[in-house]
Amino acid sequence: MHVSGGRKACVSFISRFLLFFSLQTFEKLLIANRGEIACRVIKTCKKMGIRTVAIHSDVDANAVHVKMADEAVCVGPAPTSKSYLNMDAIMEVIKKTRAQAVTDFYFCFLKLYLHCLLQASEGVTFIGPDTHAIQAMGDKIESKLLAKNAKVNTIPGFDGVVKDADEAVRIAREIGYPVMIKASAGGGGKGMRIAWDDEETREGFRFSSQEAASSFGDDRLLIEKFIDNPRHIEIQVLADKHGNALWLNERECSIQRRNQKVVEEAPSTFLDPETRRAMGEQAVALAKAVKYSSAGTVEFLVDSSKNFYFLEMNTRLQVEHPVTECITGLDLVQEMIRVAKGYPLRHKQADIPINGWAVECRVYAEDPYKSFGLPSIGKLSQYQEPLHVPSVRVDSGIQQGSDISIYYDPMISKLITYGSNRAEALKRMEEALDNYVIRGVAHNISLLREVIVHPRFVQGDISTKFLPEVYPDGFKGHKLTDLERRELLATAASLYVAEQLRSQRFLGTARIPVAKSKRSSWELSVRLGDGIYPVAVSKDGSSFSVEVDGMKLNVTSEWNLASPLLSVTVDGTQRTIQRLSRNASGDTNIQFLGTVYKLQILTKVAAELSKYMPEKAAEDTSSILRSPMPGAVVAVSVKPGDTVSEGQEICVIEAMKMQNSMIAAKTGKVKAVHCKAGDTVGEGDLLVELE
């Protein structure tokens, strides 16, 4: 976790930790996790004077959390089942390092806790709730029954385990379409499918059960009524071992793709004080019903009339917990450690404030132009967090040079901004996203930026269907207005000229001091998308005067071409851009307003000659199937000679524990199959050819 300047309650925990130093907690804590959450926990432990032990897989030997911890031990190879979820290896590390406490925060609480019970005689404490609460709330079927008994509003549905696809269809018909099919032991959007008819129910049952078995080792499914167009709002709870429990206000988590959260904020624009209190009281009632003791989250679906329904309870620290910390001033990791040690809560419900507004964007190594985000892998060749922006917090577990692999979640970081009000928090988020440098992998900065500036989001008019409603044909990036297009063209042309001028100098001196003339104007041709635009540039002191579409724009900057970030002012409007690449053919990629635009900048003469250059013919993608992402082949449904119909499933690719059905683009006969179940494939790899 990294923080920049701003509100003290959000970005500095020092004063609160000074109060805690006098309390005895643990001397050493083992963190059975990786990435940003492991780093987040280590930060708090350091301030509390607790030594930390990190575990890691062999491919994570140089990971940031390994470097931050006081001790680090390898527990196995890359797959999580053989390392981070290898309970026998973890228990050996606990014994070897003599850790007094252990936690995983995001991973499989139950198994780890049960193993810790075996070590109770040696004084090992688990940071988190007890076995009963984990087991009860971790099973969606049992948790729903408990919620009903605790007088918590629940969604209509089938409360048992669905045995097979035929039973799933029968139950779905009884409930009435649409229905949600989801893993009983699931979470994080995995093992979940929405079905609108019998065929989708059968397909959803198959994929959900496979994903559930892969992710959680439990393929049991349940079916319930799908609440169409709801908001996803959750309540943070905190409880101790003495019967005390608090609700720490809500988090709005409605911006999602594939049932996984993308943007979160606290508080919600939608809730009034009465609804907030009612949701909070029901969340606390459920926590007390299962004798919960730690930080946890009760998730609700809320309809347009503010009716709310229990969705699930997560018995762990949520990814989006920083926004709650920002508006309440509490450090939830610290509170969890205190509760585990047996201390009572230090606060009453009346003490919990809503101070200001916080927004969190999940920054992923994903291509947002493919289904709102398919995983990208690679090495971070350049990485720079926007910590110079006021009131910014970045929770990350990577650094420049880190590898994003197929084995783990593709999250790069959690980017959090705080403001005295929502408008201020969103403005800072916009600035932070523009100043975030990520090179070497695809990322979703463009999508995040478009979401937070969209008029519907700014007005608070959102639901879990926001992305498919706003982008029904998929995300295409920012659509430039005429003014923005001129700004981009003027900026790109000025950047080109600035570089030409720099190339004429050597260590600050002209390469040929005896040169007689000094060029002051350039006629360029700039290609952007399908358009070609004549652009005239003239140097005017330290700035450039650029004519585009018959209009003159003044472009100023320090023109530090070695910096990954470039602050440019066009006619008084400041923009932060990034030039990602360029080549000798005039091609350049510029990140502008979050989206990367491909341009070609040529002199007028070069542009006239370029029309004689042959263009490479585009590949006919209708007859071939390439993998849209890196992953593992789970199943192949065809063989050479088979006839397939348009839309028919050809194979299934699993990436980051999510299964994706690959379908035929046209009807035809299979010419060749280039993969088999178990193969690891990269993005763009050829899978199947049709005749």
Side-chain angles (χ1 to χ4, degrees):
M1 175 180 67
H2 306 286
V3 296
S4 67
R7 178 176 176 267
K8 299 299 183 184
C10 177
V11 299
S12 175
F13 300 129
I14 295 176
S15 61
R16 293 193 296 278
F17 284 114
L18 290 175
L19 295 175
F20 191 71
F21 282 151
S22 61
L23 299 176
Q24 181 182 0
T25 54
F26 306 101
E27 292 182 8
K28 185 183 291 188
L29 185 149
L30 183 142
I31 304 163
N33 211 315
R34 67 180 299 279
E36 57 86 13
I37 187 57
C39 295
R40 163 73 184 89
V41 175
I42 292 171
K43 283 278 189 178
T44 289
C45 287
K46 285 183 180 295
K47 293 176 181 178
M48 294 176 69
I50 301 173
R51 292 178 57 81
T52 53
V53 179
I55 62 169
H56 64 89
S57 64
D58 52 8
V59 299
D60 271 348
N62 295 315
V64 175
H65 77 281
V66 173
K67 297 176 181 178
M68 288 180 63
D70 297 296
E71 302 175 50
V73 181
C74 181
V75 288
T80 54
S81 60
K82 298 179 180 180
S83 52
Y84 293 102
L85 294 180
N86 184 343
M87 299 304 155
D88 292 335
I90 292 173
M91 296 313 300
E92 283 299 316
V93 176
I94 293 173
K95 293 178 183 179
K96 177 181 177 181
T97 60
R98 298 183 179 180
Q100 297 175 325
V102 60
T103 190
D104 58 7
F105 283 92
Y106 287 176
F107 274 150
C108 185
F109 267 111
L110 181 57
K111 290 181 181 179
L112 189 54
Y113 182 74
L114 291 176
H115 277 271
C116 286
L117 283 179
L118 300 177
Q119 304 296 315
S121 60
E122 299 180 21
V124 179
T125 301
F126 181 71
I127 309 295
D130 63 22
T131 311
H132 170 67
I134 296 170
Q135 193 167 21
M137 293 296 100
D139 187 309
K140 287 183 171 60
I141 297 172
E142 184 177 352
S143 66
K144 189 173 181 179
L145 294 173
L146 286 168
K148 283 184 177 180
N149 293 334
K151 306 288 191 245
V152 177
N153 303 343
T154 58
I155 301 172
F158 179 69
D159 296 331
V161 177
V162 184
K163 297 177 182 177
D164 53 38
D166 290 336
E167 186 178 35
V169 169
R170 179 182 61 78
I171 293 169
R173 289 175 177 174
E174 291 175 357
I175 296 172
Y177 288 109
V179 297
M180 172 68 83
I181 304 168
K182 59 185 181 181
S184 174
K190 298 179 177 67
M192 298 175 67
R193 289 290 191 282
I194 299 168
W196 296 81
D197 54 38
D198 292 356
E199 183 180 349
E200 289 186 2
T201 299
R202 292 183 184 279
E203 184 179 86
F205 181 89
R206 177 166 69 99
F207 280 125
S208 292
S209 59
Q210 290 173 354
E211 287 179 4
S214 174
S215 298
F216 315 112
D218 183 347
D219 64 357
R220 292 178 303 144
L221 301 177
L222 60 87
I223 298 179
E224 60 190 19
K225 182 68 177 177
F226 175 63
I227 307 299
D228 196 18
N229 214 36
R231 286 173 178 260
H232 185 138
I233 300 177
E234 61 191 29
I235 300 292
Q236 176 71 58
V237 295
L238 181 64
D240 61 23
K241 301 178 186 296
H242 305 278
N244 304 306
L246 304 172
W247 48 275
L248 308 181
N249 302 310
E250 79 279 6
R251 294 187 289 258
E252 174 74 71
C253 308
S254 296
I255 306 299
Q256 303 181 3
R257 52 98 175 91
R258 299 190 300 277
N259 299 308
Q260 292 179 312
K261 302 160 190 172
V262 179
V263 179
E264 301 100 348
E265 60 182 309
S268 169
T269 61
F270 190 62
L271 296 190
D272 53 56
E274 292 74 23
T275 307
R276 177 179 294 116
R277 185 181 306 109
M279 293 176 68
E281 289 174 351
Q282 287 197 18
V284 165
L286 180 59
K288 288 185 174 181
V290 294
K291 296 180 172 56
Y292 197 84
S293 59
S294 191
T297 300
V298 181
E299 303 192 8
F300 294 93
L301 291 181
V302 185
D303 67 20
S304 58
S305 299
K306 292 188 172 67
N307 298 308
F308 57 90
Y309 306 93
F310 170 72
L311 183 62
E312 64 182 354
M313 183 176 187
N314 282 299
T315 56
R316 63 179 191 267
L317 191 66
Q318 291 284 83
V319 173
E320 58 272 18
H321 75 273
V323 293
T324 296
E325 293 182 326
C326 285
I327 67 166
T328 63
L330 298 178
D331 178 348
L332 294 181
V333 174
Q334 178 192 8
E335 297 301 328
M336 292 177 72
I337 294 173
R338 292 186 78 257
V339 168
K341 189 62 177 177
Y343 291 109
L345 298 181
R346 296 177 295 172
H347 306 281
K348 303 295 183 184
Q349 190 62 57
D351 301 331
I352 306 303
I354 297 180
N355 289 328
W357 212 285
V359 179
E360 174 180 295
C361 285
R362 300 193 187 190
V363 181
Y364 282 103
E366 292 181 338
D367 185 348
Y369 301 96
K370 297 178 179 178
S371 302
F372 297 110
L374 292 184
S376 172
I377 62 172
K379 185 183 291 290
L380 289 169
S381 57
Q382 196 167 13
Y383 183 75
Q384 182 176 306
E385 296 173 348
L387 298 175
H388 59 285
V389 178
S391 298
V392 166
R393 166 176 166 176
V394 183
D395 283 18
S396 66
I398 49 89
Q399 61 187 358
Q400 187 163 302
S402 292
D403 286 307
I404 307 296
S405 74
I406 64 172
Y407 298 107
Y408 310 116
D409 188 270
M411 180 182 286
I412 293 174
S413 74
K414 301 180 306 192
L415 178 63
I416 307 102
T417 57
Y418 174 84
S420 59
N421 53 51
R422 188 169 186 260
E424 188 176 275
L426 289 177
K427 188 63 180 175
R428 285 174 176 164
M429 180 60 74
E430 184 181 342
E431 184 180 357
L433 290 169
D434 283 343
N435 283 270
Y436 208 146
V437 178
I438 304 171
R439 311 280 173 84
V441 296
H443 55 75
N444 65 335
I445 294 288
S446 56
L447 175 62
L448 296 172
R449 194 185 191 282
E450 283 301 289
V451 168
I452 65 162
V453 301
H454 194 279
R456 272 188 57 180
F457 183 84
V458 173
Q459 294 165 12
D461 177 19
I462 59 176
S463 73
T464 55
K465 296 178 70 175
F466 178 89
L467 289 179
E469 286 178 352
V470 173
Y471 309 106
D473 299 321
F475 180 66
K476 307 296 184 184
H478 180 70
K479 186 176 181 180
L480 294 169
T481 64
D482 286 341
L483 175 60
E484 291 167 346
R485 175 181 56 81
R486 287 193 292 269
E487 288 182 358
L488 175 56
L489 292 171
T491 299
S494 298
L495 188 57
Y496 172 87
V497 172
E499 190 158 53
Q500 294 298 308
L501 292 174
R502 187 183 69 166
S503 67
Q504 296 172 10
R505 306 187 66 82
F506 181 70
L507 294 178
T509 304
R511 286 180 180 271
I512 308 176
V514 295
K516 296 180 179 179
S517 61
K518 198 172 186 180
R519 189 173 180 183
S520 60
S521 63
W522 294 259
E523 289 188 6
L524 305 175
S525 175
V526 183
R527 181 192 295 271
L528 174 62
D530 295 329
I532 299 177
Y533 306 91
V535 179
V537 182
S538 59
K539 196 171 188 311
D540 184 11
S542 60
S543 62
F544 294 104
S545 178
V546 185
E547 185 174 340
V548 184
D549 294 343
M551 302 179 66
K552 287 193 175 182
L553 296 88
N554 183 262
V555 183
T556 61
S557 174
E558 293 184 359
W559 304 114
N560 180 2
L561 304 182
S563 173
L565 296 170
L566 193 62
S567 177
V568 179
T569 301
V570 183
D571 281 352
T573 301
Q574 190 274 334
R575 306 286 192 193
T576 299
I577 70 165
Q578 300 183 39
R579 185 178 63 177
L580 306 182
S581 66
R582 64 182 179 86
N583 62 27
S585 299
D587 298 321
T588 184
N589 288 347
I590 294 178
Q591 184 173 311
F592 177 76
L593 300 177
T595 294
V596 177
Y597 295 94
K598 297 181 179 180
L599 303 98
Q600 185 182 49
I601 308 171
L602 300 172
T603 63
K604 186 177 180 180
V605 173
E608 291 173 353
L609 295 174
S610 66
K611 60 186 177 184
Y612 298 107
M613 298 292 291
E615 293 186 4
K616 183 179 179 180
E619 183 179 44
D620 178 13
T621 57
S622 64
S623 299
I624 61 173
L625 176 65
R626 294 187 181 275
S627 178
M629 76 207 88
V633 179
V634 176
V636 179
S637 307
V638 299
K639 62 182 182 298
D642 287 354
T643 298
V644 296
S645 302
E646 181 180 353
Q648 179 180 330
E649 180 179 289
I650 290 181
C651 64
V652 177
I653 304 292
E654 181 179 281
M656 312 297 181
K657 301 294 184 183
M658 297 291 287
Q659 294 194 0
N660 304 271
S661 177
M662 303 291 105
I663 61 175
K666 69 175 185 180
T667 299
K669 182 178 287 188
V670 177
K671 177 181 178 182
V673 177
H674 298 278
C675 64
K676 62 181 183 299
D679 284 355
T680 298
V681 295
E683 180 179 355
D685 283 1
L686 183 61
L687 303 175
V688 175
E689 292 181 84
L690 301 181
E691 292 182 355

